[in-house]
Each structure stands twice: as C-alpha cells, then as structure tokens.
C-alpha cells in the first residue's frame, strides 16, 4: 500500500542520516585522538588517507559477500546449498587434497562449501595473519595478489625487505592447518586489494568425520604430511606457511591412496603423531626458536 511505501522511504532516510552522524562522529574522534596523542602530521595524514581509501573501497570496489545480501537468508535450504557449491567448489577443489576428497565423496565437498567457507576482502597492505598467531583457516586468493614474508616481521620490517613469495589469484596458503596444530611462521599482507575464500580448519575436520572414506584418507594423509614436515625440520629446513610443491604433494597423496587401500591402515596406533589433529594432538608445530629469536 501507499502508506507502507512511505513508511519504507522514511525508514531509509532515517537510516541514512544515522550512518552520516556515525561517520561524522568517528571522524571527529579520530582527529581528536591524533591531536591529543601528539601524533606527527606525516603519520596522521597517512592514517587518515588509509581510512578514507578503505571506506571508498568498501563502498565502490569490494565484492558483495553472502552476509551483505539479506535476501539470501530467505532461500530454501537446498537452494542455499546449490549456491554455496557453485560459489566455492571451483575454488577449493584447485587444491590437490580437496580435489582428491571430491573424488572419494562429492557430498563432503558440498558440506564444506555450505558450512566451512566464508569470504573476506583485504585492502592493499592489510595483514591477513602474522607470525606466531594460531592457524585456523586455509586461504584461497580469489582475486588480487598477496605477499608472504617468512619469519618474525612487522610493518616496519616489511617496508625494508623483499617478500619471500607472492600468492596470486587461484593460489592458496596455510594448508597445514587442515592436518596439524599450527602457528603461523610468517606474515601475509595484501599487495593489492584482495578477495579471499577462507576454509575453516576445525569445521573441515568435523565434516570429514561424517564420511568414512574421507575420514580414513584424511587421517592417513595427515600422518604422512606431519612426517614430511618433521623430516624437513630434522634436515634444518625452515618451515613456512606456503603450500608444499606439486611433486611433494602428489607423492604424499599417492602414498596415502596406496596405504589406505592396504590392510596396514587398520594397525595405526592412536598414540602416534601427537601433533596431528586427527589423533587428539597435544603438541603443535610452532615457529622454530632460531627464527623466533631472529
């Protein structure tokens, strides 16, 4: 009715005014904070420039995410699942492990897309994780480019050193969190504005346990993966958050396929590989003390 239309317009105007008031208050508080704490003019300008560009990016450039579209909540469950699969499956199955699990049970991958994924936007220079933080997600770069800095770094060091690696579109980082308790061994920062798909490691493991063939495979793969990392540590190689190279990953997957098809799988003891998530780990693989003190 006409009265409902007028009411909706009135509510939109009131909401717009409230947002403008909040924005004005935030700006005033920022200026006051910089002034009262005697922040230098040069740094204060950089802070304000970054926040302004951040606000402009949020308005004009950032992709629309599921949580931004309230109408999607009214979709029936089956349609939400179909939508999640089309949004996330092409991205996450680029990783060889997830692709292998898809071959074992496509329903598990559908569950991952529905329940274990979220989207995130990053501004240029914004950090996604830092050295020593607990690893909770595997990250897929959907658009843009990020830079990885190995070791204990901060923003000041980052300005003075070259990135250890570039993580670009269609690439991923932090696969380790799917298999073991993990603390980040470096810093990941966006080189350009980035769109990231985030796979929740705890939900990944919970979902895998519902599908027997996938659970068996994941358990064994985690053991082989942890062995590989420990061998690298034993040979004085430094661990990073970067993915294994293609040959190493394919070798681990091939060994896992062979082992899970043999009778020897049933003889694995629960007290092996304490740091592996699938066996109630009590010891994380953390950044080495040598790197920590660097």
């Amino acid at each position: 009715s006409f009265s409902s239309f007028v009411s909706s317009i009135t509510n939109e105007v009131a909401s717009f005014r409230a947002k403008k008031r909040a924005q004005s208050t935030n700006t005033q508080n920022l200026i006051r904070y910089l002034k009262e704490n005697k922040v230098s003019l040069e740094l204060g300008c950089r802070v304000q420039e970054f926040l302004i560009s951040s606000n402009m990016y949020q308005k004009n450039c950032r992709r629309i995410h599921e949580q931004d579209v309230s109408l999607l909540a009214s979709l029936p469950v089956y349609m939400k699942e179909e939508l999640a699969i089309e949004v996330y499956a092409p991205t996450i199955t680029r990783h060889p492990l997830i692709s292998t699990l898809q071959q074992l049970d496509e329903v598990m991958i559908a569950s991952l897309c529905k329940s274990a994924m979220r989207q995130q936007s990053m501004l240029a220079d914004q950090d996604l994780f830092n050295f020593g933080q607990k690893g909770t997600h595997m990250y897929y770069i959907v658009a843009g480019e990020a830079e990885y800095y190995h070791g204990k770094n901060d923003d000041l060091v980052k300005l003075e050193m070259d990135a250890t690696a570039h993580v670009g579109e269609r690439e991923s980082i932090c696969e380790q969190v799917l298999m073991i308790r993990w603390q980040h061994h470096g810093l990941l920062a966006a080189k350009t504005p980035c769109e990231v798909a985030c796979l929740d490691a705890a939900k990944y493991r919970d979902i895998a346990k519902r599908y027997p063939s996938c659970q068996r495979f994941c358990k064994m793969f985690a053991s082989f993966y942890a062995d590989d990392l420990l061998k690298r540590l034993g040979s004085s190689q430094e661990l990073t958050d970067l993915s294994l190279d293609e040959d190493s990953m394919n070798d681990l997957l091939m060994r896992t396929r062979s082992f899970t098809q043999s009778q020897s799988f049933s003889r694995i003891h629960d007290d092996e590989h304490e740091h592996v998530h699938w066996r109630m780990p009590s010891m994380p693989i953390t950044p080495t003390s040598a790197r920590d003190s660097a």
Side-chain angles (χ1 to χ4, degrees):
S1 65
F2 179 75
S3 59
S4 298
F5 173 74
V6 172
S7 177
S8 65
I9 293 296
T10 303
N11 290 337
E12 287 294 328
V13 171
S15 175
F16 175 77
R17 288 176 175 172
K19 290 179 180 178
K20 292 294 288 184
R21 284 196 299 269
Q23 182 179 1
S24 177
T25 300
N26 288 336
T27 300
Q28 292 173 10
N29 287 341
L30 172 63
I31 294 173
R32 181 179 173 184
Y33 171 84
L34 296 173
K35 182 178 179 180
E36 291 179 353
N37 288 277
K38 296 181 173 57
V39 175
S40 68
L41 179 63
E42 187 272 336
L43 177 57
C45 289
R46 284 198 289 122
V47 169
Q48 293 184 72
E49 182 180 351
F50 178 86
L51 293 174
I52 291 172
S53 64
S54 171
N55 187 53
M56 292 298 294
Y57 174 73
Q58 294 290 335
K59 287 182 177 179
N60 303 321
C61 302
R62 184 180 76 87
R63 289 190 180 187
I64 296 296
H65 298 162
E66 180 181 353
Q67 61 267 27
D68 300 322
V69 188
S70 58
L71 288 175
L72 293 179
S74 62
L75 292 176
V77 173
Y78 76 89
M79 196 171 292
K80 288 181 182 178
E81 292 179 352
E82 290 180 23
L83 188 61
I85 292 169
E86 292 205 7
V87 169
Y88 292 115
T91 296
I92 65 175
T93 53
R94 292 182 193 134
H95 190 276
L97 172 61
I98 306 300
S99 177
T100 300
L101 294 174
Q102 184 182 41
Q103 297 171 22
L104 292 174
D105 198 323
E106 290 188 350
V107 180
M108 177 194 164
I109 305 305
S111 296
L112 286 180
C113 294
K114 174 190 172 186
S115 304
M117 299 298 302
R118 65 176 175 83
Q119 296 169 311
Q120 181 172 338
S121 296
M122 294 175 63
L123 296 169
D125 294 326
Q126 184 177 357
D127 298 343
L128 186 57
F129 60 78
N130 210 329
F131 179 90
Q133 291 179 343
K134 179 182 178 182
T136 59
H137 290 76
M138 179 179 176
Y139 302 102
Y140 296 82
I141 305 299
V142 178
E145 183 180 7
E147 294 179 320
Y148 178 72
Y149 297 84
H150 182 228
K152 190 173 184 179
N153 304 304
D154 55 31
D155 286 338
L156 294 178
V157 175
K158 188 173 66 177
L159 294 173
E160 301 172 359
M161 64 181 294
D162 294 329
T164 306
H166 294 266
V167 186
E169 189 173 330
R170 302 177 66 86
E171 295 181 321
S172 59
I173 191 169
C174 300
E175 66 190 14
Q176 297 85 352
V177 300
L178 303 184
M179 278 69 73
I180 61 178
R181 292 186 186 272
W182 186 254
Q183 289 182 6
H184 291 301
H185 290 245
L187 175 151
L188 186 74
K191 181 179 181 181
T192 65
C194 288
E195 288 294 325
V196 184
C198 311
L199 171 56
D200 188 300
K203 292 180 179 178
Y204 159 85
R205 290 186 293 275
D206 287 341
I207 290 171
K209 291 173 183 176
R210 304 175 199 166
Y211 305 92
S213 60
C214 293
Q215 182 186 23
R216 289 193 297 271
F217 192 93
C218 289
K219 279 185 176 182
M220 198 62 249
F221 182 82
S223 293
F224 283 134
Y225 194 97
D227 281 342
D228 183 81
L229 292 187
L230 291 174
K231 288 177 182 177
R232 292 170 188 262
L233 275 177
S235 60
S236 300
Q237 294 185 44
E238 291 185 304
L239 301 184
T240 75
D241 298 282
L242 300 172
S243 300
L244 290 182
D245 62 88
E246 183 178 356
D247 289 342
S248 297
M249 176 61 69
N250 288 336
D251 178 64
L252 292 180
L253 288 170
M254 183 176 64
R255 289 165 58 194
T256 304
R257 290 191 196 96
S258 175
F259 204 85
T260 53
Q261 294 169 0
S262 71
Q263 294 298 317
S264 56
F265 178 79
S266 62
R267 296 196 295 270
I268 297 175
H269 299 295
D270 286 342
D271 58 353
E272 294 178 352
H273 301 296
E274 290 182 331
H275 46 276
V276 176
H277 264 301
W278 299 92
R279 293 191 176 81
M280 300 303 290
S282 59
M283 181 186 70
I285 292 183
T286 60
T288 63
S289 56
R291 171 60 69 175
D292 190 24
S293 61

